[in-house]
Amino acid sequence: MEYILDCLCNRLSKSDIGLIDEQRWADILELTKKKNISALILYNLKKQNLFIYLPPSIQDLLENDYYAVLGQNIQALEELSVVLKALSEHNLKVIILKGVFIITAVYDNVALRPMTDMDMLMHQKDSTLIKKIFSELGYNLIEDNQNNSLTFMKQDYRPIEVHWDTLSFNKYKGIIRINESEFWDGTLEFKIGTDTFLALSIEDNILYLCIHLCLNHFFSNIIWLYDLKLILETYRQKINWDKLLKKAETSGIGPAVYYCLYWSQNLLDANIETDTLKRLRPSFLRRVFLDYFSKKAFIIDDFESHYISHICQLLMIERLPDVFRMSLRILLTRLKGLKKSFN
């Protein structure tokens, strides 16, 4: 993982490349593919004029991955434009979430960031009409999570998830205090080709990425941290840090935002003001535990200790009463699972 981080941060040299044999490159490539960063590795190596020093077989594999992602993303974005046009014709409001906004707004080209699905935020009151429109476009409804989202699938295309709110898991409801209506008041416009669409504000995008990266998936993929780094760099002059930090604190996720910013700085060289981190920094006892395990989650492939992950996610919640409430929810969920397995 060290070589991967160095490549993502443009820290590799020709001599570093010479120390890696072909088998080691194959192992690195396997991990980069798993983490969805193969195309990004190729791009950064070419930018540093180091790509030519890789073994030819590794060059071929990286280029194949790059062009595969390029084709998939072009197809996905073209299809999304069709879907968004159909929704717009019915005057339905849509906010684009995560990957689509990120690859078109902060990456140098759309081949650098794979997407496993496409996410959008809409109003739950429109669910019946939304299902009808997707059905007319040839999509099948494969999951109806009435509290959170609808998932649609069309043959040969990426799944599209329509969310009613930004909290993917019920265990966080009422614990992470996010005012969803505020998302609709401060949207950001961005373009896909010649078409203009809405995304979350920069501050809300950063919060949403932190929730997704830290609380939903506990730092399981470095690509989401790299997304955060690029957003911080691209919109540096436009970020309202006071607004962002206040939202993090009032939402009860100060520690989660702290660690996302902290590791984007310490692993990926993002430029974060010291005062910003100081304001969000958790207590010493929390940091003793979280410093170690959050880094381990990034560095070690398949960090799968569910118990440690649960403890870390609990410690990312700011208020102690909320930590106890969430502990109870996790315990009850585990007990229900055990009961089902025994039955």
Side-chain angles (χ1 to χ4, degrees):
M1 186 55 114
E2 225 173 274
Y3 283 116
I4 291 172
L5 291 172
D6 286 342
C7 184
L8 291 175
C9 298
N10 299 324
R11 294 190 295 245
L12 280 182
S13 65
K14 182 181 173 181
S15 59
D16 293 324
I17 298 290
L19 295 173
I20 310 172
D21 62 28
E22 188 165 352
Q23 182 54 53
R24 180 70 180 126
W25 270 117
D27 294 339
I28 291 171
L29 191 60
E30 185 180 345
L31 182 56
T32 62
K33 198 166 185 177
K34 190 174 184 180
K35 300 295 184 182
N36 288 326
I37 54 175
S38 296
L40 198 53
I41 294 297
L42 174 142
Y43 178 77
N44 280 4
L45 287 171
K46 284 193 171 184
K47 196 162 66 172
Q48 298 170 79
N49 297 315
L50 296 174
F51 185 72
I52 57 173
Y53 301 112
L54 268 60
S57 61
I58 301 301
Q59 291 184 30
D60 290 343
L61 288 169
L62 282 170
E63 287 189 323
N64 289 341
D65 284 349
Y66 176 90
Y67 287 110
V69 173
L70 177 63
Q72 291 161 4
N73 281 355
I74 288 173
Q75 181 200 48
L77 292 173
E78 287 175 350
E79 176 64 13
L80 183 65
S81 291
V82 172
V83 171
L84 292 172
K85 184 179 179 183
L87 295 170
S88 176
E89 286 171 355
H90 289 81
N91 297 314
L92 295 177
K93 292 184 176 180
V94 181
I95 293 177
I96 303 298
L97 300 173
K98 287 190 308 188
V100 172
F101 165 72
I102 289 166
I103 68 167
T104 53
V106 303
Y107 279 87
D108 288 344
N109 73 62
V110 299
L112 301 182
R113 171 62 159 82
M115 295 186 295
T116 54
D117 58 17
M118 296 182 286
D119 299 87
M120 56 182 70
L121 184 66
M122 299 186 72
H123 293 298
Q124 189 171 8
K125 63 182 176 62
D126 299 320
S127 61
T128 301
L129 180 55
I130 291 167
K131 290 176 186 177
K132 180 175 180 291
I133 293 168
F134 271 92
S135 177
E136 290 171 352
L137 291 172
Y139 283 84
N140 294 313
L141 178 63
I142 60 171
E143 186 176 356
D144 185 350
N145 184 344
Q146 296 179 0
N147 293 323
N148 290 324
S149 62
L150 301 171
T151 302
F152 297 96
M153 190 77 178
K154 184 177 180 179
Q155 189 172 356
D156 299 326
Y157 288 94
R158 290 281 182 266
I160 296 178
E161 291 189 16
V162 179
H163 298 268
W164 313 132
D165 61 43
T166 55
L167 297 177
S168 301
F169 297 105
N170 286 328
K171 65 183 177 182
Y172 295 126
K173 297 292 174 70
I175 290 174
I176 298 177
R177 294 169 175 82
I178 288 180
N179 185 348
E180 298 282 341
S181 64
E182 289 183 2
F183 289 151
W184 296 93
D185 297 331
T187 51
L188 169 77
E189 289 188 349
F190 74 104
K191 284 186 176 293
I192 302 177
T194 58
D195 298 320
T196 301
F197 302 107
L198 295 179
L200 297 173
S201 72
I202 297 305
E203 296 79 19
D204 288 335
N205 248 302
I206 292 170
L207 286 178
Y208 181 56
L209 276 176
C210 291
I211 291 170
H212 184 72
L213 170 61
C214 180
L215 294 173
N216 291 352
H217 299 285
F218 191 58
F219 302 126
S220 62
N221 201 331
I222 196 74
I223 189 67
W224 295 321
L225 193 69
Y226 197 83
D227 292 342
L228 178 60
K229 176 197 171 176
L230 289 188
I231 286 180
L232 293 171
E233 289 178 349
T234 304
Y235 293 98
R236 171 158 299 282
Q237 302 303 321
K238 296 183 179 180
I239 299 171
N240 184 331
W241 283 103
D242 283 337
K243 179 180 177 182
L244 172 60
L245 298 184
K246 186 177 180 182
K247 279 195 170 190
E249 291 162 349
T250 56
S251 300
I253 56 170
V257 175
Y258 169 84
Y259 274 100
C260 290
L261 296 176
Y262 176 82
W263 288 123
S264 69
Q265 180 185 66
N266 284 274
L267 293 179
L268 297 176
D269 297 342
N271 186 8
I272 311 291
E273 295 288 339
T274 304
D275 288 344
T276 298
L277 289 173
K278 194 179 291 185
R279 180 168 162 182
L280 290 172
R281 189 163 57 196
S283 67
F284 173 76
L285 288 177
R286 287 197 197 216
R287 295 201 314 274
V288 168
F289 193 86
L290 290 172
D291 281 5
Y292 176 75
F293 283 106
S294 59
K295 184 175 183 179
K296 198 171 181 181
F298 275 128
I299 298 300
I300 296 178
D301 185 34
D302 287 335
F303 177 70
E304 291 184 344
S305 173
H306 295 300
Y307 295 107
I308 295 295
S309 293
H310 281 319
I311 292 170
C312 289
Q313 287 168 323
L314 287 170
L315 292 175
M316 293 292 182
I317 303 297
E318 194 151 2
R319 303 178 187 93
L320 281 177
D322 291 336
V323 172
F324 290 126
R325 286 174 64 200
M326 196 166 127
S327 301
L328 185 59
R329 289 181 183 182
I330 291 171
L331 178 61
L332 290 173
T333 302
R334 287 282 175 187
L335 290 174
K336 285 179 183 176
L338 287 171
K339 186 178 179 182
K340 278 186 181 178
S341 63
F342 281 124
N343 290 339

